[in-house]
Amino acid sequence: MRISLKYRIAIIIFVLEAIMMTAVLWATLNHSEDAIREQFASNERAILEVMGGISHIALLTGEYSGLQPYLENLLQDSRIEQVMLVDQRGIIVAGTRPESIGRFPATFSTAVTLDPETQARKIWISKNIKDEDRLLGVLAMELSDAELVAATADAGKLGVSIAVTGMILIAIVGLVVGSLLTWRLAVVTDAANRFAEGDAMARTGFRGDDEISELGQTFDKMASSLQASAEESNSLIDQLSEKNAELEQFAYTVSHDLKTPLVTVKGYVGMLQKDLQADERERIEQDLGYIVAATDTMGSLLEDLLELSRVGRIVNESEEVSLTELFESVAAGMHLQIASRGADLTVQPQMPPVLVDRQRMAEVIQNLLENALKFSAKSNPPKIEVSASKEDDIIVCCVADNGIGVEPEFQDQIFGLFNRLSASYEGTGIGLALVKRIVEVHHGRVWVDSPGNGEGARFCFALPSIEKAA
Ligand SMILES: Nc1ncnc2c1ncn2[C@@H]1O[C@H](COP(=O)(O)OP(=O)(O)O)[C@@H](O)[C@H]1O
Ligand SMILES: [Mg+2]
């Protein structure tokens, strides 16, 4: 059987208090009974002393009628059962029971007798009455403690009713104390149950520094960290399935795009066979030219793919790199390309430094600059502007051009592998996928702003500042 802690505490308090109360009650009653008994007997002894004087005279004179009313008067004291005066012969000469006067021998003893009905004790006390050394007689008095027993019983009843009331009160106090001590435990249990049933927000919300508050706070901490790790693993699962989907898409596009030049090669090889049979020299050279172009395309596809697969797999040490310096050094390597298109490139001086894999970041910049050049070649003149700014912990760097722009509905697509918007520009469609991967490996993100429709595009990437990346 399960007994709640609240009731256990109440029971313990109740039992302890009950034992204490019984002990106190017992001691009080016993003490008072003894005290009353003692006083009781001493009162009667004093009476005996006083009456002894009168009895002395009566015994000397043999005149008892004067004594008789005094003795009868004594019966007003309810504790006195009977009184008798016995002379030296043993004959009752005066007493409160007239029928026994003149009887012999007088019987009284000092033993205590017990009334079987009332449980009252009866006791004889006596006084020897002497004249000088001569014994004249004995004055004896029978006492009963019936009244005392009744008084003690009343006191007992009162005591018991006080004790019972006290115990009921104590039982209530026990329950209240038990509840006060355990209600917060019930809160912890409730929170734990709710948490176990899937309510991730279940907390006790306890403050304070007593043991139960600490228990609640420890539970809250545990629940929070469990919740955090559950969230973390959920987001890992999401990321993983996203990556998996990406990988499937990747395998599909790679095989598809690699097949295209192969189909071209196969087609022209067939043509080549026919042209060889017909010995058409000019067409043979044309066929060969197409075959070489297709294999070139395949070569650069494979090269770019290889580069893409290296990102994240081969990681160089991160170093502090000035964006201005990096852009300038990449642009220097492209100066022929830039000059041949008459492009106007401006790089903002003193752009903030970043903590990056220098070689990979150079690839990002190279791809963005190449695209900007390629897709603004027909503008007059092509204008490319590089700038960067720092917002809180993030560095945002943008390459803006005045080229063909990207329509808003394609702005996400172009970062996918092999996605190109126009076949009239050369390319493999891998560049921006590479840019995206490299930036993401650096815990950043990349996007494009463009109104589309020939109005230029602004490609931006955001990276954590040096203080945050370190
Ligand atoms: N600066 C730009 N202006 C307009 N369109 C762009 C620009 N950069 C990239 N794009 C679009 O995004 C596509 C994908 O770019 P990218 O991945 O670098 O492939 P590629 O350069 O080989 O075509 C491009 O084919 C083009 O349609
Ligand atoms: Mg490109």
Side-chain angles (χ1 to χ4, degrees):
M1 186 180 65
R2 181 178 176 270
I3 300 177
S4 141
L5 189 57
K6 173 170 79 179
Y7 293 118
R8 286 187 206 200
I9 292 172
I11 290 170
I12 291 171
I13 291 177
F14 180 76
V15 169
L16 288 180
E17 284 285 355
I19 292 172
M20 234 164 75
M21 210 145 187
T22 317
V24 168
L25 198 67
W26 181 81
T28 316
L29 283 181
N30 257 8
H31 173 77
S32 60
E33 200 182 322
D34 288 350
I36 291 169
R37 268 184 210 296
E38 213 156 277
Q39 212 198 343
F40 169 67
S42 74
N43 275 350
E44 313 315 325
R45 265 197 192 90
I47 293 173
L48 212 56
E49 256 344 290
V50 174
M51 293 309 293
I54 314 173
S55 302
H56 187 195
I57 300 167
L59 283 171
L60 280 179
T61 57
E63 182 53 63
Y64 302 110
S65 54
L67 176 66
Q68 190 65 23
Y70 284 107
L71 295 184
E72 276 163 16
N73 213 23
L74 286 180
L75 288 185
Q76 279 176 7
D77 182 339
S78 60
R79 285 165 298 188
I80 300 174
E81 287 278 298
Q82 58 170 311
V83 189
M84 60 173 76
L85 180 65
V86 182
D87 68 9
Q88 95 258 48
R89 295 166 302 167
I91 294 172
I92 299 170
V93 288
T96 53
R97 298 201 178 153
E99 73 277 6
S100 59
I101 292 176
R103 292 257 180 90
F104 171 84
T107 50
F108 61 88
S109 78
T110 49
V112 177
T113 56
L114 207 63
D115 184 321
E117 242 171 70
T118 59
Q119 293 293 306
R121 284 183 287 187
K122 290 191 174 169
I123 189 169
W124 282 96
I125 55 174
S126 59
K127 180 178 167 54
N128 291 341
I129 298 168
K130 291 179 178 168
D131 189 39
E132 309 278 271
D133 269 343
R134 192 163 61 93
L135 182 68
L136 293 179
V138 177
L139 180 66
M141 198 182 260
E142 190 188 27
L143 306 177
S144 160
D145 70 351
E147 203 187 333
L148 186 70
V149 168
T152 312
D154 282 352
K157 272 183 212 150
L158 183 68
V160 167
S161 63
I162 289 175
V164 168
T165 320
M167 278 178 184
I168 292 171
L169 282 180
I170 287 161
I172 294 169
V173 167
L175 275 178
V176 171
V177 171
S179 304
L180 280 179
L181 285 177
T182 56
W183 74 268
R184 288 183 307 158
L185 281 179
V187 172
V188 180
T189 311
D190 177 60
N193 279 335
R194 280 189 292 132
F195 194 80
E197 279 160 15
D199 177 1
M201 298 313 290
R203 300 285 188 278
T204 65
F206 284 176
R207 303 274 171 274
D209 53 9
D210 60 285
E211 287 81 349
I212 299 181
S213 298
E214 262 172 39
L215 174 69
Q217 285 162 28
T218 310
F219 169 80
D220 288 355
K221 245 189 259 168
M222 185 199 73
S224 298
S225 80
L226 273 178
Q227 191 194 358
S229 57
E231 271 166 15
E232 196 181 334
S233 67
N234 280 346
S235 102
L236 277 178
I237 290 171
D238 287 351
Q239 278 178 30
L240 221 63
S241 44
E242 205 176 290
K243 286 269 176 279
N244 207 27
E246 248 174 48
L247 209 67
E248 269 170 30
Q249 178 65 23
F250 179 77
Y252 172 79
T253 33
V254 167
S255 48
H256 179 268
D257 278 64
L258 282 178
K259 232 169 133 186
T260 317
L262 262 184
V263 170
T264 312
V265 168
K266 202 176 171 196
Y268 281 107
V269 167
M271 303 271 269
L272 190 61
Q273 277 173 334
K274 278 188 209 149
D275 292 339
L276 276 172
Q277 276 166 6
D279 199 16
E280 295 232 31
R281 243 201 113 67
E282 223 173 274
R283 291 189 53 173
I284 291 171
E285 276 191 16
Q286 215 182 6
D287 295 338
L288 283 172
Y290 284 126
I291 291 172
V292 169
T295 52
D296 279 351
T297 307
M298 210 163 153
S300 57
L301 262 176
L302 285 174
E303 213 166 281
D304 284 354
L305 272 179
L306 203 63
E307 192 51 46
L308 186 64
S309 82
R310 279 193 196 115
V311 179
R313 220 164 26 86
I314 301 168
V315 184
N316 302 309
E317 191 88 22
S318 285
E319 52 188 299
E320 196 177 320
V321 176
S322 145
L323 277 173
T324 302
E325 190 258 307
L326 196 58
F327 264 96
E328 276 168 354
S329 85
V330 172
M334 295 168 67
H335 82 275
L336 280 181
Q337 251 173 297
I338 297 170
S340 72
R341 293 191 175 153
D344 176 7
L345 170 68
T346 52
V347 176
Q348 180 188 318
Q350 288 169 340
M351 287 191 290
V354 283
L355 195 68
V356 291
D357 175 339
R358 185 189 169 95
Q359 197 185 325
R360 298 271 175 249
M361 200 42 72
E363 285 177 58
V364 167
I365 289 167
Q366 168 122 16
N367 268 289
L368 293 179
L369 288 180
E370 271 174 3
N371 281 351
L373 268 181
K374 180 161 62 174
F375 297 105
S376 60
K378 290 169 189 156
S379 311
N380 198 11
K383 273 184 77 151
I384 302 171
E385 268 174 38
V386 177
S387 61
S389 63
K390 186 175 176 204
E391 286 161 27
D392 297 330
D393 287 339
I394 292 172
I395 310 267
V396 177
C397 177
C398 298
V399 178
D401 63 45
N402 59 346
I404 60 171
V406 183
E407 300 296 328
E409 67 259 44
F410 301 122
Q411 288 179 0
D412 281 338
Q413 264 183 40
I414 55 172
F415 293 96
L417 193 60
F418 302 129
N419 289 348
R420 297 160 61 207
L421 298 182
S422 161
S424 55
Y425 291 88
E426 257 185 41
T428 59
I430 294 177
L432 285 182
L434 186 69
V435 166
K436 184 170 186 255
R437 275 203 70 180
I438 294 173
V439 170
E440 283 176 356
V441 163
H442 284 86
H443 308 290
R445 58 186 199 93
V446 58
W447 69 94
V448 59
D449 293 325
S450 170
N453 153 42
E455 295 203 42
R458 197 163 72 116
F459 282 80
C460 299
F461 58 86
L463 290 174
S465 69
I466 289 213
E467 305 85 59
K468 197 159 182 231

